[in-house]
Amino acid sequence: MSLTLSAFEKLYQQTKDKKYLNYIKAYADELIDSNGNILKYDINEYNIDYVNPGKLLFNLYEITKDKRYQTVIEQLRKQIASQPRTPSGGFWHKQIYPNQMWIDGLYMAEPFYAQYTVTYENGKSLDDIAKQFELAHDHLKDLKTGLLYHAWDESKEIGWANRETGTSPTIWSRGIGWYMMALVETLDYFPKNHPKQKELVEFLNEIAQNAVKAQSSSGLWYQVTDKPELQGNFLESSGSAMIIYGLAKGVNKEYLPSSYKKTAQKSFDAFIKEFVKTNENNEITISNVSSNVGLGGKPFRDGTNEYYAKSKTKDNSSPALAAFLLSAIELKK
């Protein structure tokens, strides 16, 4: 939900229409009590996903000066401070997934972490943030395609992990999208003169180049990104929209060559043709959104290519809706 609200925040900044701001505030106020406690939040779960909604509170606090928002921001910073880490220093995805980094975790934690450290700590944690991307780049990357797998178990003990590399078996288009979005949104807070800024821009250029190589002839991306011929594999909307957004914002911020804007525009047009339908009330449906696939757990999810290809699709699920909005904003559509 907070991903969609991040898109609403960008819409508010573009349009100055307070309906978007009011919607975000209503969401926050429903989940935060009068003392600044998040309903049903348990830090001991150490779920990295819980950090992401905190991004919405920086502007809310700046606008309203409501101290509850500041209190929650600090709670989430405390979670980051005590989040369990792999031996190499990467954040665990959750307490129940020891020694595992998942690619979506980069998006869930790093943009908030970067905004916090630049706003309140004079940027003291930027090196630690860059390290999370370095670990993902070094350990999740497939050497053949240059694309990143969904997850990495540094201990190499979990059943889905490759015994030599620790990686999970599948390259997932939404995973590539999470990685690209994490990079472009974290880079918002990295000064150009910071020693790690150039490295993160290089990571973005590398994944952009390899993602474009993996495009289908339509200009979109398959659920299992590198295996279009896999039985049951399908063009997937959320990953496609996230990659389009990453390309478009990367060009707008001058991290990527301008030629990628044309690629993003063509893919956006293909996205509308393939996934977007409008009814008689001018309401849209975005189709072919991957369900929330994962790894491990009970029952055990083995992360095979076939598991991702057989995942049920949904309409109008938030990752696709939000990334569609964000890409449209960047492309001025």
Side-chain angles (χ1 to χ4, degrees):
M1 188 62 189
S2 61
L3 179 60
T4 305
L5 295 179
S6 289
F8 280 15
E9 188 173 62
K10 298 292 191 303
L11 284 169
Y12 170 65
Q13 291 164 354
Q14 288 276 330
T15 65
K16 306 304 179 189
D17 188 334
K18 285 200 170 180
K19 71 182 179 184
Y20 299 115
L21 178 65
N22 293 338
Y23 194 89
I24 296 166
K25 187 176 185 303
Y27 170 81
D29 290 346
E30 190 169 324
L31 293 176
I32 300 170
D33 70 17
S34 59
N35 296 315
N37 297 308
I38 312 167
L39 299 184
K40 299 183 180 179
Y41 171 70
D42 181 0
I43 189 173
N44 294 313
E45 292 179 24
Y46 285 109
N47 185 338
I48 206 81
D49 294 347
Y50 292 167
V51 174
N52 187 50
K55 294 184 303 185
L56 301 166
L57 301 180
F58 291 98
N59 280 340
L60 278 182
Y61 177 66
E62 186 65 28
I63 292 165
T64 67
K65 301 303 180 186
D66 186 330
K67 290 185 179 178
R68 295 177 306 135
Y69 303 142
Q70 181 68 39
T71 299
V72 172
I73 288 170
E74 296 300 335
Q75 285 178 343
L76 295 174
R77 178 64 182 91
K78 286 178 182 175
Q79 178 181 327
I80 289 173
S82 55
Q83 186 79 11
R85 295 179 183 242
T86 72
S88 296
F91 292 132
W92 291 12
H93 194 65
K94 296 181 185 179
Q95 179 72 39
I96 60 172
Y97 299 139
N99 293 308
Q100 296 173 29
M101 289 187 77
W102 292 22
I103 199 167
D104 28 328
L106 290 172
Y107 179 80
M108 300 304 161
E110 309 329 321
F112 170 88
Y113 191 11
Q115 187 169 3
Y116 184 95
T117 197
V118 168
T119 304
Y120 298 116
E121 300 176 334
N122 199 30
K124 74 173 188 178
S125 296
L126 288 174
D127 283 347
D128 187 36
I129 292 163
K131 183 173 186 172
Q132 305 304 312
F133 287 100
E134 290 167 354
L135 288 169
H137 176 269
D138 292 349
H139 295 285
L140 285 164
K141 188 169 70 171
D142 171 48
L143 297 181
K144 181 180 177 183
T145 64
L147 300 172
L148 278 68
Y149 290 102
H150 189 173
W152 168 58
D153 174 14
E154 185 163 350
S155 72
K156 304 173 186 174
E157 292 177 353
I158 194 73
W160 50 253
N162 181 296
R163 289 295 169 259
E164 293 182 9
T165 64
T167 57
S168 61
T170 300
I171 296 170
W172 180 39
S173 65
R174 190 151 85 210
I176 304 304
W178 287 129
Y179 179 63
M180 293 181 71
M181 292 205 308
L183 280 165
V184 295
E185 295 193 6
T186 301
L187 277 164
D188 281 340
Y189 305 101
F190 265 76
K192 282 190 175 181
N193 62 356
H194 189 277
K196 298 293 186 180
Q197 194 267 0
K198 184 178 179 183
E199 178 183 61
L200 295 186
V201 170
E202 288 173 354
F203 289 170
L204 179 62
N205 275 268
E206 183 180 296
I207 193 62
Q209 181 181 21
N210 292 319
V212 170
K213 284 181 184 176
Q215 273 180 309
S216 71
S217 57
S218 69
L220 301 169
W221 286 265
Y222 278 89
Q223 166 81 337
V224 180
T225 321
D226 60 328
K227 294 184 173 63
E229 75 290 345
L230 179 70
Q231 184 175 358
N233 205 2
F234 56 93
L235 293 173
E236 199 280 322
S237 56
S238 67
S240 293
M242 289 176 177
I243 294 168
I244 294 165
Y245 167 54
L247 294 174
K249 180 164 181 169
V251 172
N252 290 341
K253 288 287 197 172
E254 300 183 345
Y255 306 137
L256 294 175
S258 59
S259 60
Y260 283 109
K261 178 65 80 70
K262 189 174 182 181
T263 303
Q265 289 171 337
K266 284 185 174 180
S267 294
F268 186 85
D269 292 341
F271 183 98
I272 292 175
K273 183 178 179 181
E274 180 73 25
F275 301 125
V276 179
K277 301 290 182 288
T278 307
N279 68 14
E280 63 275 7
N281 297 320
N282 212 31
E283 297 167 335
I284 72 165
T285 295
I286 299 176
S287 63
N288 269 40
V289 192
S290 169
S291 57
N292 291 329
V293 293
L295 297 152
K298 294 179 182 179
F300 188 81
R301 298 166 294 180
D302 58 12
T304 61
N305 291 179
E306 290 73 20
Y307 160 73
Y308 286 78
K310 290 178 181 176
S311 69
K312 292 182 180 179
T313 60
K314 301 191 258 185
D315 291 340
N316 293 334
S317 190
S318 57
L321 174 60
F324 174 67
L325 290 171
L326 289 166
S327 58
I329 290 166
E330 291 296 328
L331 291 168
K332 296 181 168 57
K333 295 289 189 178

